Amino acid sequence: SKLGSRPQLASRTLAANGTKVVVNGSYAFISIAGATQELQIVQFNAAGTTLTITGSADVNGQAAYDVSVNSTGTRAYLATGVDASKPEFFIINTSSKSGSRPTVGSYNASGMDPNAVAVVTNNKAILVGTGAEEYQVIDITNEASPVRCGGLNVNSGINGLASVIEADGDAYTYIITGDSA
C-alpha cells in the first residue's frame, strides 16, 4: 500500500549517530559520527525484518559525515571531519562485508572540512566542505594513492552535492552552498 502510515519493520542500534546511509544490494553502508568506527555495514533480509551489523571501518578518529559506494559494493568512499595531521577522505575495501574492513587509500583535503563525497566517471571522486578549497576533485585511478586533480574555491562553503552523469560520460555536480544569495 502507498497510503497511510508505515509500520517499522526492524531497527538496529549503531555505534553512534548515523550521518548518511547508502544501500547497495542487501547491505546498508552507514557513515558514523561519534564512535571509533566511522563506517558500519548492515545486512538486511529481503523482507527488511532482520538487520545485522556485519562489518565496520575505523579510519581516523574523526566524525564521518558522508559515504558513497561503487555500483558493485566493493568500495566505500568516506568523508570525515578535518584533522590537521590525518587524511579526511578514505577508500575502504568492502569486497567482503564482514569484520574490520581495511583502508585501501586516503587523501588529505589540505584544511578543508568535508561535508559530502560523490564518485563519478573516469575514476574521479568529488569532496566538498568548508574552509580551504571547498570543492576538490580527486583522481582515484591509483586507489592506494589518490591525488587532487582540480578544485574550486567557494568561500561560503559547500554543504552538499549530487552528481549527474550524462550518456556521453560528461559529469556535472550540483552543489548547495552556504551563500544565502
Side-chain angles (χ1 to χ4, degrees):
S1 174
K2 307 290 185 239
L3 303 172
S5 65
R6 299 280 150 254
Q8 178 176 309
L9 298 177
S11 66
R12 187 71 181 178
T13 301
L14 300 171
N17 295 330
T19 55
K20 173 83 182 267
V21 61
V22 174
V23 174
N24 184 293
S26 61
Y27 292 92
F29 298 80
I30 305 165
S31 56
I32 304 290
T36 56
Q37 300 171 337
E38 291 87 3
L39 176 72
Q40 286 193 285
I41 303 170
V42 177
Q43 184 176 24
F44 54 89
N45 65 349
T49 56
T50 303
L51 303 173
T52 306
I53 296 174
T54 60
S56 64
D58 177 13
V59 295
N60 73 348
Q62 298 297 314
Y65 296 116
D66 198 12
V67 62
S68 183
V69 177
N70 69 357
S71 61
T72 60
T74 59
R75 293 292 185 267
Y77 306 90
L78 196 64
T80 67
V82 67
D83 188 312
S85 63
K86 297 177 186 172
E88 293 82 17
F89 171 77
F90 298 87
I91 302 172
I92 300 166
N93 181 342
T94 56
S95 54
S96 169
K97 313 300 185 266
S98 300
S100 179
R101 305 310 316 136
T103 298
V104 177
S106 62
Y107 169 82
N108 188 321
S110 300
M112 186 242 287
D113 191 6
N115 289 325
V117 62
V119 177
V120 295
T121 61
N122 298 322
N123 293 309
K124 301 296 186 285
I126 300 169
L127 189 65
V128 299
T130 58
E133 186 178 48
E134 295 86 4
Y135 181 98
Q136 295 181 27
V137 181
I138 306 163
D139 185 337
I140 57 174
T141 303
N142 178 354
E143 290 183 322
S145 185
V147 295
R148 180 193 176 281
C149 64
L152 177 68
N153 278 314
V154 179
N155 292 331
S156 58
I158 302 174
N159 299 323
L161 81 157
S163 293
V164 177
I165 302 169
E166 293 183 330
D168 65 358
D170 293 337
Y172 293 90
T173 302
Y174 295 87
I175 61 174
I176 304 167
T177 70
D179 185 349
S180 62

